[in-house]
């Protein structure tokens, strides 16, 4: 887990041109969401720019929620994500025995 955080941190530091603090990173009024100055295939156009900026914000928020879910899962279960998947135990079908009559065909 630490290696993932370090790798993401290095990518962020390099992509923000070694401006580490938030006041340095966001000081430029020209900075837009998702615009890191890297577009080798010229996929960005002025018409699509607003859509790309909105997508960057939405997907970033979804990724943060997913990552926080992984962290909370690790805290609650005291197992790593891969370890928990390898030791997965399904729910005992006997626990749902009382519900079988609700869904039976007449």
């Amino acid at each position: 887990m630490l290696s993932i955080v370090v790798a993401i941190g290095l990518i962020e530091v390099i992509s923000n041109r070694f401006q580490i603090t938030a006041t340095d990173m966001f000081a430029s009024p020209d900075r837009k969401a998702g615009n890191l100055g890297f577009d080798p295939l010229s996929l960005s156009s002025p018409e699509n720019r607003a859509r790309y900026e909105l997508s960057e914000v939405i997907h970033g928020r979804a990724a943060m929620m997913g990552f926080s879910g992984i962290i909370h899962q690790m805290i609650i279960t005291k197992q790593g994500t891969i370890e928990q998947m390898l030791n997965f135990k399904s729910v005992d079908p006997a626990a749902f025995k009382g519900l079988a009559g609700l869904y039976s065909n007449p």
Side-chain angles (χ1 to χ4, degrees):
M1 182 57 95
L2 181 62
S3 60
I4 293 172
V5 172
V6 170
I8 292 171
L10 284 174
I11 291 169
E12 287 292 321
V13 168
I14 292 168
S15 66
N16 287 312
R17 296 171 184 85
F18 299 96
Q19 297 172 340
I20 298 173
T21 64
T23 55
D24 292 337
M25 284 189 265
F26 304 116
S28 173
D30 299 331
R31 189 175 192 280
K32 303 282 186 192
N35 186 7
L36 299 176
F38 181 75
D39 190 14
L41 300 177
S42 299
L43 297 175
S44 173
S45 67
E47 299 85 32
N48 294 333
R49 195 68 172 134
R51 185 174 68 96
Y52 287 151
E53 289 175 9
L54 180 62
S55 294
E56 177 74 19
V57 172
I58 290 172
H59 293 134
R61 289 177 181 167
M64 285 187 278
M65 290 180 65
F67 189 74
S68 67
I70 291 171
I71 297 298
H72 285 93
Q73 173 188 1
M74 290 172 60
I75 291 169
I76 291 170
T77 63
K78 307 283 191 272
Q79 294 179 332
T81 305
I82 304 298
E83 181 183 0
Q84 189 172 21
M85 285 193 292
L86 293 175
N87 297 325
F88 180 74
K89 296 189 177 42
S90 63
V91 177
D92 183 17
F96 297 104
K97 190 167 98 175
L99 300 174
L102 296 175
Y103 300 105
S104 62
N105 291 332

XYZ file of all heavy atoms in Angstrom:
806
model
N 0.824 -1.179 0.000
C 0.000 0.000 0.000
C 0.875 1.251 0.000
O 0.563 2.211 -0.686
C -0.913 -0.032 1.222
C -1.848 1.141 1.296
S -2.889 1.342 -0.127
C -4.329 0.524 0.406
N 1.952 1.217 0.750
C 2.841 2.366 0.809
C 3.464 2.646 -0.558
O 3.616 3.809 -0.946
C 3.922 2.148 1.859
C 4.921 3.283 2.041
C 4.196 4.540 2.494
C 5.985 2.901 3.030
N 3.777 1.586 -1.290
C 4.379 1.781 -2.618
C 3.408 2.472 -3.571
O 3.822 3.291 -4.401
C 4.841 0.441 -3.203
O 3.745 -0.433 -3.332
N 2.114 2.193 -3.446
C 1.114 2.853 -4.292
C 1.045 4.335 -3.961
O 1.032 5.189 -4.855
C -0.264 2.187 -4.118
C -0.237 0.765 -4.668
C -1.358 3.005 -4.800
C -1.486 -0.027 -4.366
N 1.017 4.655 -2.683
C 0.940 6.058 -2.262
C 2.188 6.819 -2.706
O 2.093 7.943 -3.199
C 0.740 6.143 -0.728
C 0.843 7.572 -0.241
C -0.591 5.536 -0.343
N 3.360 6.194 -2.572
C 4.607 6.845 -2.992
C 4.614 7.056 -4.500
O 4.983 8.130 -4.986
C 5.831 6.025 -2.533
C 7.115 6.539 -3.165
C 5.933 6.050 -1.020
N 4.198 6.056 -5.269
C 4.177 6.189 -6.733
C 3.224 7.300 -7.172
O 3.573 8.132 -8.027
C 3.768 4.861 -7.370
N 2.044 7.356 -6.585
C 1.087 8.413 -6.927
C 1.631 9.771 -6.516
O 1.494 10.756 -7.239
C -0.283 8.130 -6.276
C -0.922 6.905 -6.924
C -1.209 9.331 -6.400
C -2.165 6.413 -6.234
N 2.278 9.829 -5.360
C 2.873 11.080 -4.904
C 3.952 11.575 -5.849
O 4.012 12.769 -6.164
N 4.801 10.668 -6.326
C 5.844 11.062 -7.283
C 5.244 11.565 -8.589
O 5.708 12.566 -9.151
C 6.783 9.883 -7.556
C 7.782 9.579 -6.461
C 8.559 8.314 -6.774
C 8.728 10.746 -6.271
N 4.215 10.903 -9.065
C 3.554 11.349 -10.295
C 2.968 12.740 -10.101
O 3.092 13.604 -10.972
C 2.466 10.343 -10.721
C 3.111 9.034 -11.189
C 1.581 10.921 -11.820
C 2.142 7.906 -11.383
N 2.348 12.978 -8.952
C 1.774 14.292 -8.676
C 2.847 15.375 -8.591
O 2.679 16.465 -9.134
C 0.962 14.262 -7.377
C -0.344 13.541 -7.495
C -1.334 14.275 -8.375
O -1.400 15.507 -8.323
O -2.041 13.595 -9.127
N 3.949 15.066 -7.926
C 5.016 16.066 -7.787
C 5.618 16.396 -9.142
O 5.827 17.571 -9.472
C 6.093 15.549 -6.803
C 7.347 16.408 -6.862
C 5.547 15.530 -5.390
N 5.864 15.384 -9.963
C 6.448 15.624 -11.279
C 5.470 16.357 -12.184
O 5.835 17.293 -12.888
C 6.909 14.292 -11.910
C 8.094 13.743 -11.110
C 7.278 14.479 -13.369
C 8.460 12.321 -11.452
N 4.200 15.952 -12.178
C 3.226 16.592 -13.061
C 2.919 18.031 -12.651
O 2.520 18.837 -13.480
C 1.930 15.780 -13.116
O 1.284 15.796 -11.868
N 3.124 18.360 -11.369
C 2.916 19.736 -10.915
C 4.212 20.538 -10.923
O 4.302 21.571 -10.264
C 2.302 19.748 -9.519
C 0.862 19.328 -9.541
O 0.092 19.824 -10.353
N 0.490 18.405 -8.684
N 5.187 20.046 -11.659
C 6.472 20.736 -11.843
C 7.146 21.046 -10.512
O 7.623 22.151 -10.286
C 6.286 21.982 -12.690
C 5.838 21.658 -14.099
C 5.437 22.915 -14.861
N 4.920 22.572 -16.185
C 3.659 22.226 -16.430
N 2.790 22.149 -15.460
N 3.271 21.958 -17.651
N 7.139 20.054 -9.630
C 7.807 20.097 -8.332
C 7.295 21.218 -7.426
O 8.005 21.681 -6.550
C 9.332 20.179 -8.512
C 9.872 18.979 -9.232
C 10.094 19.015 -10.595
C 10.117 17.803 -8.545
C 10.575 17.909 -11.258
C 10.608 16.691 -9.207
C 10.826 16.749 -10.565
N 6.076 21.626 -7.641
C 5.424 22.566 -6.724
C 4.643 21.719 -5.730
O 3.617 21.137 -6.069
C 4.508 23.509 -7.489
C 5.254 24.372 -8.472
C 4.330 25.167 -9.360
O 3.161 24.839 -9.506
N 4.868 26.206 -9.958
N 5.134 21.643 -4.510
C 4.631 20.653 -3.572
C 3.406 21.124 -2.795
O 2.468 20.372 -2.592
C 5.765 20.220 -2.617
C 6.873 19.575 -3.437
C 5.260 19.258 -1.569
C 8.100 19.244 -2.669
N 3.385 22.360 -2.353
C 2.260 22.815 -1.528
C 1.061 23.178 -2.403
O 1.206 23.529 -3.572
C 2.655 24.036 -0.685
O 2.958 25.122 -1.556
C 3.846 23.739 0.198
N -0.119 23.105 -1.828
C -1.343 23.396 -2.582
C -1.379 24.842 -3.048
O -1.897 25.134 -4.124
C -2.565 23.075 -1.734
N -0.833 25.750 -2.248
C -0.839 27.158 -2.671
C 0.050 27.374 -3.888
O -0.252 28.215 -4.732
C -0.384 28.083 -1.523
O 0.892 27.639 -1.050
C -1.385 28.066 -0.392
N 1.128 26.604 -4.004
C 1.987 26.699 -5.193
C 1.339 26.043 -6.401
O 1.389 26.561 -7.507
C 3.347 26.045 -4.934
C 4.176 26.807 -3.925
O 3.923 28.010 -3.750
O 5.067 26.189 -3.323
N 0.741 24.864 -6.185
C 0.168 24.112 -7.301
C -0.986 24.847 -7.965
O -1.123 24.828 -9.174
C -0.325 22.746 -6.819
C 0.756 21.751 -6.576
S 0.067 20.128 -6.284
C -0.003 20.113 -4.516
N -1.823 25.469 -7.167
C -3.029 26.085 -7.700
C -2.925 27.598 -7.820
O -3.914 28.281 -7.997
C -4.232 25.703 -6.843
C -4.399 24.217 -6.725
C -4.280 23.590 -5.504
C -4.652 23.449 -7.845
C -4.422 22.209 -5.398
C -4.791 22.082 -7.748
C -4.676 21.457 -6.524
N -1.715 28.136 -7.723
C -1.521 29.585 -7.789
C -1.768 30.127 -9.191
O -2.216 31.249 -9.356
C -0.115 29.953 -7.329
N -1.501 29.331 -10.204
C -1.661 29.800 -11.577
C -3.139 29.891 -11.940
O -3.877 28.908 -11.842
C -0.962 28.842 -12.540
O -1.249 29.191 -13.873
N -3.599 31.050 -12.396
C -5.013 31.169 -12.794
C -5.307 30.437 -14.108
O -6.464 30.201 -14.426
C -5.215 32.675 -12.951
C -3.858 33.228 -13.192
C -2.895 32.317 -12.491
N -4.261 30.048 -14.822
C -4.446 29.330 -16.090
C -4.655 27.838 -15.892
O -4.990 27.135 -16.843
C -3.231 29.547 -16.995
C -3.029 31.008 -17.331
O -4.040 31.744 -17.371
O -1.875 31.410 -17.559
N -4.442 27.325 -14.684
C -4.543 25.882 -14.443
C -5.999 25.447 -14.466
O -6.834 26.005 -13.787
C -3.933 25.527 -13.096
C -3.805 24.032 -12.885
C -3.075 23.765 -11.582
N -2.672 22.394 -11.462
C -3.481 21.416 -11.086
N -4.729 21.669 -10.827
N -3.038 20.181 -10.981
N -6.282 24.432 -15.271
C -7.629 23.870 -15.389
C -7.596 22.410 -14.936
O -6.551 21.756 -14.979
C -8.127 23.930 -16.837
C -8.128 25.303 -17.434
C -9.309 26.076 -16.949
C -9.331 27.402 -17.697
N -10.232 28.330 -17.158
N -8.735 21.890 -14.552
C -8.823 20.490 -14.138
C -8.448 19.580 -15.299
O -8.956 19.720 -16.403
C -10.233 20.171 -13.674
N -7.533 18.653 -15.049
C -7.136 17.691 -16.063
C -6.151 18.202 -17.090
O -5.690 17.447 -17.931
N -5.799 19.469 -17.056
C -4.866 20.012 -18.032
C -3.468 20.004 -17.442
O -3.078 20.898 -16.702
C -5.258 21.436 -18.428
C -4.390 21.974 -19.546
O -3.579 21.257 -20.112
N -4.571 23.230 -19.861
N -2.714 18.970 -17.782
C -1.342 18.862 -17.306
C -0.341 19.225 -18.395
O 0.851 19.037 -18.240
C -1.074 17.438 -16.808
C -1.943 16.988 -15.641
C -1.673 15.545 -15.302
C -1.729 17.872 -14.437
N -0.844 19.725 -19.515
C 0.049 20.115 -20.596
C 0.587 18.930 -21.374
O 1.594 19.035 -22.061
N -0.058 17.781 -21.301
C 0.395 16.572 -21.980
C -0.727 16.066 -22.871
O -1.724 15.544 -22.394
C 0.772 15.495 -20.947
C 1.266 14.220 -21.564
C 2.526 14.152 -22.098
C 0.460 13.103 -21.610
C 2.990 12.979 -22.661
C 0.906 11.932 -22.170
C 2.180 11.866 -22.698
N -0.596 16.276 -24.167
C -1.584 15.814 -25.142
C -0.863 15.460 -26.439
O -0.965 16.166 -27.439
C -2.639 16.892 -25.379
C -3.815 16.394 -26.199
O -3.951 15.163 -26.358
O -4.597 17.227 -26.669
N -0.102 14.348 -26.452
C 0.707 14.034 -27.624
C -0.114 13.667 -28.860
O 0.362 13.811 -29.980
C 1.563 12.858 -27.168
C 0.774 12.226 -26.078
C 0.046 13.351 -25.406
N -1.353 13.231 -28.697
C -2.179 12.838 -29.842
C -3.142 13.943 -30.264
O -3.956 13.735 -31.156
C -2.965 11.567 -29.503
C -2.118 10.350 -29.152
C -3.006 9.180 -28.763
C -1.210 9.977 -30.302
N -3.069 15.069 -29.624
C -3.943 16.220 -29.919
C -5.423 15.839 -29.879
O -6.194 16.169 -30.778
C -3.594 16.818 -31.279
O -2.260 17.266 -31.284
N -5.815 15.145 -28.827
C -7.212 14.734 -28.670
C -8.072 15.852 -28.111
O -9.283 15.828 -28.230
C -7.299 13.513 -27.754
C -6.604 12.260 -28.263
C -6.651 11.167 -27.216
C -7.226 11.789 -29.554
N -7.439 16.822 -27.483
C -8.179 17.915 -26.871
C -8.462 19.009 -27.895
O -7.614 19.369 -28.699
C -7.353 18.494 -25.721
O -7.969 19.635 -25.219
N -9.665 19.500 -27.863
C -10.030 20.618 -28.726
C -10.816 21.615 -27.872
O -11.366 21.247 -26.838
C -10.874 20.143 -29.904
O -12.120 19.683 -29.457
N -10.893 22.862 -28.286
C -11.647 23.841 -27.485
C -13.112 23.458 -27.292
O -13.705 23.769 -26.265
C -11.522 25.131 -28.293
C -10.307 24.958 -29.131
C -10.210 23.489 -29.411
N -13.689 22.749 -28.246
C -15.093 22.345 -28.124
C -15.281 21.291 -27.033
O -16.292 21.261 -26.337
C -15.627 21.788 -29.444
C -15.593 22.765 -30.602
C -14.257 22.795 -31.321
O -13.567 21.751 -31.384
O -13.883 23.873 -31.794
N -14.320 20.401 -26.904
C -14.432 19.303 -25.940
C -13.855 19.646 -24.570
O -13.983 18.867 -23.645
C -13.714 18.062 -26.470
C -14.374 17.495 -27.697
O -15.570 17.656 -27.896
N -13.599 16.847 -28.532
N -13.206 20.769 -24.435
C -12.473 21.101 -23.220
C -13.361 21.124 -21.979
O -13.008 20.575 -20.939
C -11.787 22.457 -23.380
C -10.758 22.680 -22.339
C -9.701 21.692 -22.651
N -8.511 21.836 -21.881
C -7.933 20.788 -21.327
N -8.466 19.608 -21.401
N -6.812 20.912 -20.719
N -14.517 21.760 -22.065
C -15.412 21.844 -20.903
C -15.880 20.457 -20.469
O -15.952 20.156 -19.271
C -16.609 22.727 -21.215
N -16.161 19.601 -21.432
C -16.597 18.233 -21.111
C -15.467 17.450 -20.441
O -15.684 16.721 -19.474
C -17.047 17.518 -22.381
C -17.624 16.140 -22.134
C -18.171 15.548 -23.415
N -17.129 15.253 -24.361
C -16.568 14.039 -24.511
N -16.979 13.056 -23.766
N -15.632 13.845 -25.400
N -14.242 17.622 -20.941
C -13.097 16.935 -20.346
C -12.827 17.413 -18.916
O -12.494 16.624 -18.043
C -11.841 17.122 -21.193
C -11.834 16.342 -22.481
C -11.144 16.801 -23.592
C -12.519 15.139 -22.606
C -11.131 16.093 -24.777
C -12.524 14.426 -23.781
C -11.815 14.903 -24.868
O -11.806 14.196 -26.034
N -12.970 18.718 -18.692
C -12.744 19.245 -17.350
C -13.777 18.703 -16.368
O -13.444 18.316 -15.248
C -12.790 20.772 -17.373
C -11.599 21.392 -18.049
C -11.705 22.887 -18.186
O -12.645 23.481 -17.595
O -10.867 23.484 -18.879
N -15.033 18.650 -16.779
C -16.076 18.109 -15.915
C -15.852 16.616 -15.654
O -16.001 16.143 -14.528
C -17.454 18.337 -16.538
C -18.646 17.818 -15.743
C -18.735 18.527 -14.397
C -19.922 18.005 -16.532
N -15.464 15.881 -16.694
C -15.190 14.450 -16.529
C -14.041 14.215 -15.564
O -14.072 13.275 -14.772
C -14.855 13.814 -17.876
O -15.964 13.848 -18.722
N -13.021 15.060 -15.628
C -11.878 14.928 -14.726
C -12.313 15.085 -13.277
O -11.923 14.308 -12.408
C -10.825 15.981 -15.072
C -9.631 15.983 -14.170
C -8.701 14.822 -14.405
O -8.768 14.200 -15.479
O -7.908 14.523 -13.496
N -13.152 16.057 -12.998
C -13.619 16.284 -11.630
C -14.498 15.127 -11.160
O -14.326 14.607 -10.057
C -14.371 17.631 -11.542
C -15.035 17.789 -10.189
C -13.422 18.783 -11.806
N -15.421 14.687 -12.004
C -16.338 13.602 -11.624
C -15.577 12.299 -11.395
O -15.792 11.612 -10.386
C -17.432 13.418 -12.695
C -18.376 14.611 -12.674
C -18.197 12.119 -12.476
C -19.366 14.612 -13.820
N -14.685 11.943 -12.309
C -13.955 10.688 -12.161
C -12.976 10.743 -11.000
O -12.731 9.734 -10.334
C -13.234 10.342 -13.460
C -14.182 10.023 -14.571
N -14.039 10.529 -15.818
C -15.305 9.277 -14.602
C -15.020 10.109 -16.592
N -15.814 9.346 -15.870
N -12.431 11.923 -10.735
C -11.555 12.071 -9.577
C -12.303 11.837 -8.279
O -11.808 11.183 -7.362
N -13.512 12.354 -8.203
C -14.317 12.144 -6.992
C -14.707 10.681 -6.833
O -14.680 10.136 -5.725
C -15.562 13.014 -7.040
C -15.249 14.476 -6.847
C -16.461 15.340 -6.955
N -16.086 16.740 -6.791
C -16.880 17.739 -7.067
N -18.103 17.518 -7.512
N -16.484 18.970 -6.904
N -15.060 10.038 -7.929
C -15.411 8.610 -7.858
C -14.208 7.773 -7.430
O -14.341 6.842 -6.638
C -15.945 8.133 -9.203
N -13.029 8.125 -7.930
C -11.816 7.399 -7.551
C -11.496 7.595 -6.074
O -11.083 6.649 -5.385
C -10.641 7.861 -8.407
N -11.697 8.807 -5.569
C -11.450 9.050 -4.142
C -12.411 8.247 -3.274
O -12.012 7.703 -2.237
C -11.585 10.539 -3.827
C -10.413 11.366 -4.313
S -10.500 13.065 -3.766
C -11.613 13.754 -4.963
N -13.672 8.138 -3.692
C -14.631 7.350 -2.922
C -14.263 5.865 -2.944
O -14.351 5.177 -1.926
C -16.040 7.563 -3.454
C -16.580 8.946 -3.162
S -18.230 9.198 -3.799
C -19.153 8.036 -2.815
N -13.851 5.366 -4.100
C -13.445 3.971 -4.198
C -12.218 3.672 -3.348
O -12.152 2.655 -2.662
N -11.241 4.584 -3.385
C -10.033 4.386 -2.588
C -10.343 4.431 -1.102
O -9.807 3.641 -0.325
C -8.977 5.434 -2.959
C -7.641 5.170 -2.342
C -6.847 4.159 -2.825
C -7.199 5.920 -1.277
C -5.612 3.902 -2.253
C -5.979 5.681 -0.702
C -5.173 4.666 -1.187
N -11.242 5.337 -0.695
C -11.596 5.386 0.728
C -12.339 4.119 1.142
O -12.196 3.661 2.275
C -12.433 6.624 1.039
O -13.691 6.549 0.427
N -13.095 3.523 0.228
C -13.744 2.244 0.527
C -12.728 1.136 0.755
O -12.888 0.307 1.659
N -11.660 1.125 -0.039
C -10.602 0.126 0.142
C -9.920 0.315 1.492
O -9.661 -0.652 2.215
C -9.581 0.216 -1.008
C -10.219 -0.257 -2.314
C -8.321 -0.585 -0.699
C -9.376 -0.007 -3.542
N -9.621 1.556 1.842
C -8.960 1.831 3.126
C -9.853 1.410 4.296
O -9.395 0.756 5.236
C -8.611 3.331 3.233
C -7.607 3.727 2.157
C -8.095 3.688 4.620
C -6.287 3.024 2.256
N -11.149 1.757 4.241
C -12.055 1.382 5.328
C -12.216 -0.132 5.424
O -12.305 -0.685 6.517
C -13.418 2.060 5.152
C -13.392 3.503 5.507
N -13.164 4.477 4.582
C -13.538 4.120 6.697
C -13.177 5.651 5.190
N -13.407 5.465 6.468
N -12.239 -0.808 4.282
C -12.335 -2.263 4.290
C -11.114 -2.861 4.984
O -11.238 -3.795 5.782
C -12.430 -2.780 2.864
C -12.356 -4.272 2.740
C -12.258 -4.717 1.290
O -12.225 -3.908 0.389
N -12.206 -6.001 1.083
N -9.943 -2.326 4.710
C -8.725 -2.844 5.337
C -8.723 -2.577 6.842
O -8.269 -3.409 7.620
C -7.493 -2.223 4.681
C -7.256 -2.710 3.276
S -5.954 -1.830 2.407
C -4.560 -2.152 3.429
N -9.236 -1.425 7.251
C -9.271 -1.103 8.682
C -10.247 -2.014 9.416
O -9.951 -2.536 10.495
C -9.650 0.374 8.882
C -8.510 1.272 8.396
C -9.973 0.663 10.346
C -8.881 2.732 8.313
N -11.415 -2.241 8.837
C -12.456 -3.032 9.503
C -12.091 -4.509 9.557
O -12.246 -5.157 10.585
C -13.813 -2.827 8.793
C -14.307 -1.396 9.048
C -14.838 -3.844 9.264
C -15.506 -1.010 8.216
N -11.605 -5.062 8.447
C -11.351 -6.505 8.398
C -9.955 -6.896 8.856
O -9.680 -8.073 9.031
C -11.552 -7.031 6.969
O -10.600 -6.410 6.105
C -12.969 -6.781 6.485
N -9.057 -5.921 9.021
C -7.662 -6.180 9.403
C -6.958 -7.062 8.378
O -6.052 -7.808 8.709
C -7.573 -6.815 10.784
C -8.284 -6.098 11.886
C -7.519 -4.897 12.340
C -8.058 -4.310 13.611
N -9.096 -3.338 13.468
N -7.406 -7.006 7.115
C -6.791 -7.760 6.025
C -6.594 -6.827 4.841
O -7.375 -5.905 4.638
C -7.689 -8.910 5.557
C -7.908 -9.996 6.554
C -8.834 -11.054 5.997
O -9.674 -10.782 5.149
N -8.693 -12.270 6.477
N -5.570 -7.106 4.056
C -5.389 -6.371 2.823
C -6.445 -6.780 1.806
O -7.130 -7.800 1.962
N -6.574 -6.002 0.755
C -7.611 -6.273 -0.246
C -7.397 -7.622 -0.920
O -8.322 -8.419 -1.046
C -7.621 -5.154 -1.300
O -7.782 -3.913 -0.624
C -8.745 -5.343 -2.286
N -6.171 -7.886 -1.368
C -5.877 -9.162 -2.042
C -6.048 -10.321 -1.072
O -6.617 -11.359 -1.419
C -4.449 -9.145 -2.623
C -4.250 -7.955 -3.571
C -4.125 -10.457 -3.310
C -5.156 -7.977 -4.785
N -5.563 -10.148 0.152
C -5.691 -11.201 1.161
C -7.154 -11.523 1.430
O -7.541 -12.689 1.565
C -5.006 -10.750 2.442
C -5.039 -11.763 3.554
C -4.417 -11.240 4.830
O -3.961 -10.086 4.856
O -4.415 -12.002 5.810
N -7.997 -10.493 1.485
C -9.414 -10.731 1.743
C -10.074 -11.453 0.572
O -10.920 -12.316 0.759
C -10.135 -9.429 2.034
C -11.543 -9.673 2.515
C -12.221 -8.410 2.984
O -11.824 -7.323 2.622
N -13.249 -8.569 3.782
N -9.685 -11.116 -0.655
C -10.258 -11.811 -1.817
C -9.829 -13.263 -1.851
O -10.600 -14.143 -2.239
C -9.854 -11.102 -3.112
C -10.610 -9.820 -3.330
S -10.442 -9.149 -4.974
C -8.732 -8.680 -4.993
N -8.598 -13.555 -1.444
C -8.124 -14.934 -1.435
C -8.804 -15.764 -0.348
O -8.953 -16.975 -0.490
C -6.607 -14.965 -1.247
C -5.792 -14.401 -2.409
C -4.318 -14.367 -2.042
C -6.008 -15.213 -3.668
N -9.209 -15.124 0.743
C -9.852 -15.829 1.854
C -11.351 -15.589 1.891
O -11.978 -15.691 2.937
C -9.238 -15.378 3.180
C -7.785 -15.721 3.263
O -7.349 -16.736 2.760
N -7.008 -14.842 3.875
N -11.961 -15.279 0.764
C -13.382 -14.937 0.712
C -14.240 -16.143 1.056
O -14.027 -17.241 0.566
C -13.752 -14.433 -0.685
C -15.196 -14.058 -0.816
C -15.664 -12.893 -0.245
C -16.081 -14.867 -1.490
C -16.992 -12.532 -0.355
C -17.408 -14.528 -1.612
C -17.864 -13.354 -1.042
N -15.222 -15.928 1.919
C -16.179 -16.973 2.281
C -17.570 -16.442 1.984
O -17.963 -15.384 2.473
C -16.036 -17.329 3.750
C -14.682 -17.927 4.070
C -14.635 -18.477 5.459
C -13.338 -19.145 5.767
N -12.138 -18.527 5.341
N -18.313 -17.171 1.197
C -19.652 -16.715 0.843
C -20.607 -16.910 2.020
O -20.313 -17.603 2.980
C -20.163 -17.470 -0.379
O -20.271 -18.837 -0.089
N -21.764 -16.310 1.908
C -22.776 -16.392 2.966
C -23.377 -17.789 2.976
O -23.629 -18.394 1.935
C -23.866 -15.334 2.711
C -24.965 -15.429 3.752
C -23.254 -13.957 2.708
N -23.631 -18.294 4.164
C -24.238 -19.618 4.315
C -25.680 -19.570 3.800
O -26.484 -18.761 4.265
C -24.216 -20.010 5.788
C -24.751 -21.403 6.030
O -24.835 -22.183 5.052
O -25.075 -21.708 7.185
N -26.049 -20.421 2.833
C -27.408 -20.406 2.295
C -28.475 -20.715 3.347
O -29.627 -20.303 3.204
C -27.404 -21.488 1.220
C -25.983 -21.827 0.971
C -25.199 -21.369 2.150
N -28.109 -21.376 4.425
C -29.075 -21.704 5.471
C -29.591 -20.432 6.155
O -30.685 -20.421 6.718
C -28.447 -22.631 6.507
N -28.830 -19.361 6.077
C -29.261 -18.107 6.684
C -30.481 -17.539 5.971
O -31.250 -16.784 6.551
C -28.123 -17.094 6.647
N -30.690 -17.934 4.723
C -31.819 -17.427 3.943
C -32.939 -18.452 3.817
O -33.828 -18.299 3.000
C -31.344 -17.010 2.543
C -30.360 -15.885 2.582
C -29.012 -16.128 2.380
C -30.772 -14.597 2.828
C -28.098 -15.098 2.415
C -29.871 -13.552 2.872
C -28.531 -13.805 2.668
N -32.917 -19.507 4.627
C -33.903 -20.569 4.514
C -35.327 -20.048 4.760
O -36.272 -20.459 4.099
C -33.571 -21.682 5.515
C -34.393 -22.935 5.330
C -33.806 -24.072 6.126
C -34.567 -24.204 7.422
N -34.151 -25.354 8.219
N -35.501 -19.133 5.667
C -36.820 -18.590 5.968
C -37.387 -17.745 4.846
O -38.595 -17.545 4.741
N -36.536 -17.224 3.976
C -36.990 -16.380 2.877
C -37.378 -17.183 1.644
O -37.925 -16.613 0.697
C -35.895 -15.382 2.496
C -35.452 -14.423 3.604
C -34.289 -13.600 3.131
C -36.599 -13.531 4.003
N -37.126 -18.482 1.644
C -37.382 -19.296 0.450
C -38.861 -19.295 0.074
O -39.216 -19.299 -1.101
C -36.910 -20.721 0.665
N -39.743 -19.244 1.031
C -41.182 -19.260 0.747
C -41.670 -17.975 0.094
O -42.679 -17.970 -0.597
N -40.970 -16.893 0.291
C -41.376 -15.618 -0.293
C -41.217 -15.607 -1.817
O -41.948 -14.922 -2.522
C -40.567 -14.465 0.308
C -40.756 -14.210 1.795
C -39.802 -13.136 2.253
C -42.187 -13.784 2.070
N -40.239 -16.359 -2.306
C -39.926 -16.307 -3.724
C -40.256 -17.580 -4.488
O -39.864 -17.748 -5.614
C -38.434 -15.977 -3.917
C -38.072 -14.651 -3.313
C -37.361 -14.592 -2.130
C -38.474 -13.470 -3.913
C -37.028 -13.367 -1.571
C -38.146 -12.238 -3.364
C -37.429 -12.205 -2.196
O -37.109 -10.998 -1.656
N -40.986 -18.482 -3.858
C -41.327 -19.720 -4.555
C -42.470 -19.490 -5.536
O -43.315 -18.607 -5.356
C -41.715 -20.804 -3.547
O -42.854 -20.405 -2.835
N -42.477 -20.288 -6.580
C -43.549 -20.188 -7.597
C -44.811 -20.878 -7.077
O -44.752 -21.962 -6.517
C -43.114 -20.857 -8.893
C -42.014 -20.083 -9.570
O -41.911 -18.872 -9.418
N -41.152 -20.785 -10.297
N -45.984 -20.269 -7.285
C -47.214 -20.893 -6.796
C -47.602 -22.114 -7.597
O -47.255 -22.339 -8.671
C -48.278 -19.812 -6.932
C -47.694 -18.744 -7.772
C -46.222 -18.967 -7.849
